[in-house]
Amino acid sequence: VIADAALYLPLALLAGVSPTLVVLLVLCATFSEYAGVMGPLAGASRRYDGPMGKSDRAFAFGVLGTGVAFGLLNGSWVNGLLLVILALSLYTLYNRVRQGLAETR
């Protein structure tokens, strides 16, 4: 989780990219990961529900970073993609909590 934050937070320094959006995404990713590992504490299994798990997020940021490195994506595109990743991360968080609670019943 710390390594993910260290990799994603520098995006906030790019011209045209919203630092607030980057920080929100990092926080959401952190909460999502912790929601997955907290399942056993609630009597459920470790939750890997998606659609934006750790490996999916790594792939998305790899593609995003490649696009920025080759000059294919400007700040507006990056912000749009970050919004999509954030929305999918929020849905992942919801899924993990919902499925974990359903499993404990």
Side-chain angles (χ1 to χ4, degrees), residues 48-70:
Y48 294 101
D49 306 289
M52 189 56 70
K54 190 175 191 85
S55 58
D56 305 306
R57 202 169 41 253
F59 176 76
F61 274 94
V63 170
L64 195 143
T66 302
V68 169
F70 285 111

Side-chain angles (χ1 to χ4, degrees), residues 10-28:
L11 282 173
L13 302 175
L14 291 175
V17 175
S18 169
T20 304
L21 189 56
V22 174
V23 170
L24 284 174
L25 181 55
V26 168
L27 288 173
C28 186

Side-chain angles (χ1 to χ4, degrees), residues 63-99:
V63 170
L64 195 143
T66 302
V68 169
F70 285 111
L72 301 173
L73 299 174
N74 61 19
S76 299
W77 274 99
V78 172
N79 286 333
L81 292 172
L82 290 176
L83 279 172
V84 171
I85 296 169
L86 178 61
L88 291 172
S89 294
L90 285 169
Y91 189 60
T92 296
L93 176 60
Y94 169 76
N95 272 343
R96 289 181 180 186
V97 171
R98 182 175 52 90
Q99 294 295 342

